[in-house]
Amino acid sequence: MNSKTRTALAAGVLAVALGLGATAQASSAGTPRSVSGKPADNITRIADFYGAYIDAVTDEDSGNLGEALRAHYLTAGFQKALNAWEEKNHADGVLRAQNVPLAWKVTDNGSTAKYTEAVITFTWSKSSTSKVVVDMTRDSRQIFRIGEKGIGGK
């Protein structure tokens, strides 16, 4: 892939991540897939972040797009906490792993007056998955926690 193509791809991924609000829906065999979402919906925003972030890490963009996505979607305080977690664990704090998942799924896990919670399911191989919980504030619409608390209910 040449640099012009890579730049266009990165710009497209960033455009989707920063406002078009898209989520993918699986389809049955032979049926065209569709993508939909709402920019005002926090679950869509979380899905947009994870989709764009995983694309950036997969494309090995030297951290430029990944860092821009973190700056846009994560609170400043959480970015600092995430950096500390990564130093301690020698892994990507957004993915909670040293590699990139083959697939991901975002599931609404409920909302309160102050935040929206989603469960992210990562598929690592045919028989291996893991989950993290992501919390996003309803006012700033930024992620302030990624962890394991709340999986399977509040």
Side-chain angles (χ1 to χ4, degrees), residues 4-21:
K4 188 174 182 180
T5 303
R6 185 178 299 279
T7 301
L9 177 62
V13 168
L14 189 56
V16 168
L18 296 181
L20 297 180

Side-chain angles (χ1 to χ4, degrees), residues 14-63:
L14 189 56
V16 168
L18 296 181
L20 297 180
T23 55
Q25 295 293 319
S27 61
S28 60
T31 304
R33 291 174 25 136
S34 65
V35 176
S36 64
K38 300 175 192 171
D41 178 67
N42 282 350
I43 296 300
T44 299
R45 287 182 63 86
I46 293 168
D48 288 346
F49 168 67
Y50 269 90
Y53 186 81
I54 289 169
D55 286 348
V57 173
T58 299
D59 294 345
E60 299 178 19
D61 75 315
S62 303

